């Protein structure tokens, strides 16, 4: 029996005994890499799967080996990435040893304290963003594979690497993981991660205040990672400068990594020559992770907080949050923080209580009448008072707040708002909403009042 066939039959057995989600999360992307007598080596995609299989499923796997007639007594788990499914366009250049010339490069004498600040020692990278902590599923596996290729063969395989996708889907995480991995493999490599906004601002400072060191800062690196490139849209001079930076780096086979919320062809007012360069290497998109991947992300993040969530809690959150990973993480953090403070268990009941609120904030559950009543009640008034023509101060402010809430929660038009409060003139509604908007910014009491009325409305 070949290893592939053997592993398939083992997985077939396992699939019958664990939940569908567990199987998809922990077993689907595994491989039997080696079978040597009684020793087996199983390849997994990340450290969490490794830990999980080791701690929770090892006995079961051993039993299953035995069941299918292979007497394995020792399984080791090793992290390995599956082969990228696509072949990457080769730049056609000779493959240089990456960064061979960087360690003895003199520090530019022009780089003094009066010049543009020197890149931070860690290259602007956040160490928590690694490949190991990135969960791979069908929505991001191509982006993941391309990023790994860029990390393994900087400047040659995917140059530039252009990663695009909606907000909160893991672009920053992934492109920083490339930088961290390269730094890990080549501690001397000069990696610089910046947001596009920083690049734009640096460039403006350079032009306005004649600050020196701009070109050096960006061209004397081995890896340049620029996040949120869409920010360069409409900024002609910066685009021109970036074009030169790009060429200088690319010519020397320095790795360039770019993220953006849309593909190069959809960034408005991006110069044609820059657009075509962005498309030279590899462009990959990222989508919202599917249900199984969302579950795996939640489990991983929870175990990072040393919390083991019950499967139904995980599935509850993954079902209810389908916007992006950042919100998924936000919901999890909310649950864990709440449980830590209140001493509750992070179970489905608690999650339903907390996340039910998130769902309830959708405006269509609430009527204008309810908003007016709850606002009145908060101020110990009657809805009738708020609807009356009376101009007493203790009524005017609650009335204004009610108008503000009708606008913010139900998005009613100003004439509608006036109408709901029994008024003919809608300009008062406009002024009231504006006034409360302003005091929301300046005055914490108003903020608290409105927060607690909102709680009443949705609670
Ligand atoms: P973007 O840059 O696309 O807006 P981020 O990279 O900031 O998104 O991701 C938002 C959060 O979600 C980060 O905390 C990141 O670690 C997390 N995240 C996104 N995708 C994944 C994933 N596949 N595995 C683990 N964490 C992820
Ligand atoms: Mg980002």
């Amino acid at each position: 029996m070949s290893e592939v066939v053997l592993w398939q039959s083992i997985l077939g057995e396992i699939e019958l005994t664990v939940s569908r989600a567990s199987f998809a999360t922990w077993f689907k992307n595994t491989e039997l890499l080696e079978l040597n007598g009684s020793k087996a080596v199983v390849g997994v995609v990340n450290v969490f799967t490794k830990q999980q299989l080791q701690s929770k499923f090892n006995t079961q796997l051993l039993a299953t080996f035995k069941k299918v007639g292979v007497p394995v007594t020792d399984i080791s788990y090793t992290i390995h990435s599956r082969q990228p499914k696509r072949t990457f366009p080769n730049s056609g250049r000779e493959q240089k040893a990456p960064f061979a010339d960087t360690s003895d490069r003199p520090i530019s004498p022009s780089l003094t304290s009066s010049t543009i600040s020197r890149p931070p020692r860690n290259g602007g990278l956040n160490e928590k963003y690694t490949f190991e902590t990135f969960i791979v599923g069908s929505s991001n596996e191509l982006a993941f594979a391309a990023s790994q290729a860029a990390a393994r063969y900087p400047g040659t395989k995917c140059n530039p690497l252009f990663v695009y996708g909606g907000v909160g889907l893991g672009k920053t995480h992934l492109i920083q993981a490339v930088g961290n991995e390269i730094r890990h493999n080549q501690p001397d490599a000069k990696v610089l991660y910046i947001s596009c906004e920083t690049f734009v601002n640096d460039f403006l400072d350079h032009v306005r205040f004649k600050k020196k060191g701009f070109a050096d800062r960006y061209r004397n690196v081995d890896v340049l990672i620029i996040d949120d490139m869409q920010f360069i849209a409409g900024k002609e001079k910066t685009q021109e400068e970036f074009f030169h930076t790009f060429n200088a780096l690319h010519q020397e086979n320095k790795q360039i990594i770019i993220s953006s919320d849309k593909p190069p062809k959809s960034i408005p007012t991006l110069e044609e020559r820059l657009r075509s360069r962005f498309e030279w290497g590899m462009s990959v998109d990222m989508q919202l992770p599917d249900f199984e991947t969302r579950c795996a992300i939640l489990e991983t993040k929870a175990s990072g907080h040393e919390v083991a969530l019950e499967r139904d809690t995980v599935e509850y959150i993954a079902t209810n949050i389908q916007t992006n990973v950042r919100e998924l993480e936000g919901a999890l953090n909310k649950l864990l923080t709440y449980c830590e403070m209140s001493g509750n268990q992070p179970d489905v009941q608690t999650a339903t209580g907390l996340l039910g609120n998130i769902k309830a904030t959708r405006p269509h559950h609430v009527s204008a009448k309810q908003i007016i009543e709850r606002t009145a009640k908060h101020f110990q008034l009657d809805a009738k008072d708020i609807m009356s023509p009376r101009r007493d101060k203790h009524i005017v402010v609650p009335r204004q707040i009610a108008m503000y809430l009708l606008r913010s929660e139900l998005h009613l038009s100003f004439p509608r708002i006036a109408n709901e409060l029994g008024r003919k003139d809608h300009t008062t509604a406009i002024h009231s909403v504006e006034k409360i908007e302003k005091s929301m910014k300046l005055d914490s009491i108003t903020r608290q009042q409105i927060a607690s009325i909102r709680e009443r409305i949705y609670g």
Side-chain angles (χ1 to χ4, degrees):
M1 205 171 352
S2 82
E3 274 144 26
V4 175
V5 176
L6 170 62
W7 192 238
Q8 266 171 6
S9 60
I10 292 201
L11 290 185
E13 291 287 328
I14 298 274
E15 199 171 3
L16 298 174
T17 59
V18 301
S19 78
R20 202 169 58 85
S22 254
F23 183 80
T25 310
W26 307 117
F27 292 95
K28 209 166 91 190
N29 295 328
T30 55
E31 272 176 60
L32 180 59
L33 297 177
E34 241 182 86
L35 184 62
N36 200 344
S38 62
K39 284 188 163 53
V41 181
V42 172
V44 299
V45 284
N46 58 48
V47 67
F48 297 97
T49 313
K50 176 174 165 168
Q51 284 166 359
Q52 194 74 6
L53 292 184
Q54 247 162 5
S55 62
K56 279 209 182 151
F57 295 102
N58 194 53
T59 323
Q60 190 177 354
L61 278 168
L62 287 173
T64 314
F65 269 108
K66 200 165 159 201
K67 192 168 173 191
V68 300
V70 182
V72 165
T73 54
D74 179 28
I75 308 174
S76 59
Y77 302 90
T78 172
I79 297 164
H80 93 130
S81 54
R82 288 171 307 142
Q83 288 301 306
K85 285 188 179 150
R86 247 155 81 172
T87 49
F88 300 104
N90 204 316
S91 66
R93 292 203 182 88
E94 260 181 47
Q95 204 162 308
K96 278 202 287 186
F99 319 134
D101 61 342
T102 58
S103 49
D104 55 2
R105 182 184 289 153
I107 292 174
S108 162
S110 68
L111 221 55
T112 65
S113 55
S114 72
T115 61
I116 285 172
S117 57
R118 219 189 276 200
R121 271 199 58 140
N122 63 359
L125 295 166
N126 183 335
E127 282 171 6
K128 77 173 186 185
Y129 292 133
T130 62
F131 287 136
E132 282 75 33
T133 55
F134 190 84
I135 306 294
V136 187
S138 55
S139 61
N140 57 25
E141 66 184 342
L142 190 59
F144 183 77
S147 301
Q148 284 204 317
R152 215 171 295 156
Y153 312 104
T156 58
K157 293 265 174 180
C158 305
N159 203 17
L161 170 63
F162 194 101
V163 178
Y164 64 92
V167 63
L169 296 179
K171 300 182 297 295
T172 298
H173 185 140
L174 200 52
I175 60 177
Q176 290 215 18
V178 179
N180 280 319
E181 178 80 5
I182 293 175
R183 275 172 59 93
H184 177 77
N185 296 339
Q186 317 250 344
D188 286 338
K190 285 194 202 143
V191 178
L192 178 60
Y193 165 89
I194 46 151
S195 68
C196 182
E197 199 173 351
T198 305
F199 184 86
V200 171
N201 290 339
D202 258 12
F203 177 66
L204 293 180
D205 279 358
H206 160 74
V207 174
R208 255 188 243 140
F209 308 118
K210 311 250 171 322
K211 278 202 181 178
K212 288 188 196 138
F214 178 82
D216 281 351
R217 178 176 182 192
Y218 294 102
R219 292 181 201 181
N220 284 347
V221 298
D222 300 306
V223 180
L224 180 62
I225 307 173
I226 301 211
D227 209 349
D228 291 319
M229 197 57 161
Q230 71 276 4
F231 198 75
I232 208 170
K235 304 188 172 66
E236 275 171 44
K237 285 272 181 269
T238 315
Q239 288 191 19
E240 188 179 333
E241 180 61 35
F242 187 71
F243 178 75
H244 295 304
T245 307
F246 183 103
N247 288 344
L249 291 171
H250 200 273
Q251 235 155 37
E252 293 202 38
N253 286 346
K254 307 297 190 189
Q255 178 69 44
I256 301 160
I257 302 162
I258 299 166
S259 88
S260 162
D261 68 351
K262 32 181 117 52
K265 67 173 181 325
S266 312
I267 300 179
T269 69
L270 183 66
E271 260 192 78
E272 192 46 44
R273 55 181 185 168
L274 206 45
R275 184 193 319 279
S276 83
R277 269 164 181 71
F278 288 170
E279 287 167 347
W280 268 358
M282 179 81 180
S283 295
V284 282
D285 76 321
M286 299 182 75
Q287 304 280 339
L288 173 72
D290 56 24
F291 174 71
E292 310 295 358
T293 314
R294 292 203 296 281
C295 289
I297 290 174
L298 286 167
E299 273 166 348
T300 311
K301 304 263 173 193
S303 71
H305 294 278
E306 293 179 358
V307 175
L309 288 180
E310 294 293 331
R311 188 65 206 181
D312 52 355
T313 315
V314 169
E315 291 186 358
Y316 177 82
I317 304 174
T319 308
N320 281 288
I321 309 249
Q322 308 201 3
T323 39
N324 62 53
V325 183
R326 188 172 300 150
E327 290 198 9
L328 199 63
E329 227 184 327
L332 176 69
N333 289 340
K334 188 172 170 187
L335 177 66
L336 298 185
T337 311
Y338 173 78
C339 289
E340 201 181 309
M341 284 177 359
S342 66
N344 283 26
Q345 283 301 311
D347 53 18
V348 177
Q349 279 81 357
T350 316
T352 312
L354 278 175
L355 304 183
N357 268 343
I358 293 179
K359 279 210 269 172
T361 52
R362 287 183 197 142
H364 55 260
H365 291 293
V366 181
S367 69
K369 190 162 166 264
Q370 281 170 319
I371 289 183
I372 297 167
E373 275 170 2
R374 305 284 150 87
T375 309
K377 198 156 185 192
H378 177 87
F379 293 101
Q380 286 152 6
L381 296 168
D382 240 28
K384 276 202 304 275
D385 299 322
I386 289 192
M387 316 265 296
S388 76
R390 286 171 61 187
R391 309 257 336 132
D392 315 36
K393 188 154 188 241
H394 75 283
I395 298 178
V396 169
V397 173
R399 186 183 291 136
Q400 289 171 333
I401 289 182
M403 290 180 168
Y404 168 84
L405 285 167
L406 288 173
R407 183 77 180 165
S408 70
E409 307 309 297
L410 301 184
H411 308 286
L412 297 188
S413 68
F414 291 114
R416 261 297 291 286
I417 293 174
N419 194 20
E420 291 290 349
L421 288 156
R423 281 161 163 70
K424 292 210 179 71
D425 182 8
H426 73 273
T427 51
T428 324
I430 298 179
H431 295 313
S432 302
V433 172
E434 273 172 5
K435 180 175 168 254
I436 301 299
E437 267 169 0
K438 213 185 211 163
S439 31
M440 282 288 277
K441 287 195 195 108
L442 303 172
D443 172 24
S444 66
I445 294 176
T446 310
R447 274 198 298 276
Q448 277 163 18
Q449 284 172 336
I450 287 181
S452 68
I453 298 170
R454 280 202 173 111
E455 255 169 47
R456 268 171 193 267
I457 294 173
Y458 299 113

